[in-house]
Amino acid sequence: AVLSWHVRGARMEQAAQLLGSVPSMKQAQLRIAAASANGMPRNGVAQELQVLKRKDHIPTSIMSCSWPYFAGFFDAEGCVGIASTYAGLRLSVAQVNDHVLQCLLQFLHNNGLTRWSLFHRDRSSLLQCSYRTTCNQTLEYL
């Protein structure tokens, strides 16, 4: 299921300004959306949004990692894999931009979950854990 809402004009600007004031990974996009309501040309909006999606873009609004932040991020972007041939469990999160994954990895390691690893692929990065004990501990926190 997908929840989709559409807001335009002054209400869109209000919603974007309100949501853009809360630290999140989408803060920069929301600020651009608020600016677009004030007459920013559509092609300028598209160009600014494309810059934010680049693999080498460094987000300036990465909030401090916490269990609620990780839980929300994992809920939106994470994957729980269960092996069909053995009693295996794998938790993973993939992103094009690895900066938030590096923050999450540091957070997990600081909390004693040192079996999490960050892998870099051609088009994305993968934060992953395949150690059952660590996966179970992580799921208990979530």
Side-chain angles (χ1 to χ4, degrees):
V2 174
L3 173 63
S4 177
W5 53 283
H6 301 271
V7 184
R8 292 181 174 82
R11 290 183 188 256
M12 187 272 300
E13 181 181 2
Q14 288 175 316
Q17 285 177 342
L18 177 64
L19 292 170
S21 69
V22 178
S24 73
M25 285 301 296
K26 299 295 183 188
Q27 194 170 30
Q29 289 94 324
L30 290 164
R31 287 186 180 148
I32 293 169
S36 72
N38 289 324
M40 179 187 275
R42 195 164 184 86
N43 62 347
V45 171
Q47 289 174 349
E48 286 195 42
L49 290 173
Q50 283 300 323
V51 168
L52 298 176
K53 292 183 179 230
R54 290 180 41 185
K55 189 174 182 174
D56 60 349
H57 171 71
I58 299 174
T60 57
S61 62
I62 293 179
M63 54 189 293
S64 61
C65 297
S66 63
W67 283 113
Y69 180 82
F70 183 71
F73 198 87
F74 190 84
D75 183 44
E77 305 290 339
C79 176
V80 177
I82 300 172
S84 61
T85 56
Y86 65 96
L89 181 63
R90 181 182 65 250
L91 303 178
S92 60
V93 180
Q95 288 285 293
V96 170
N97 189 309
D98 75 340
H99 292 283
V100 69
L101 297 181
Q102 290 174 6
C103 175
L104 292 173
L105 178 65
Q106 186 65 47
F107 170 77
L108 292 164
H109 284 187
N110 289 345
N111 281 276
L113 302 171
T114 58
R115 296 291 195 143
W116 279 88
S117 300
L118 183 58
F119 302 96
H120 302 281
R121 304 182 294 194
D122 286 340
R123 294 188 175 174
S124 65
S125 295
L126 181 71
L127 181 62
Q128 180 174 288
C129 180
S130 299
Y131 295 90
R132 188 172 186 92
T133 302
T134 303
C135 288
N136 288 342
Q137 290 172 330
T138 303
L139 291 171
E140 285 177 24
Y141 282 116
L142 299 178

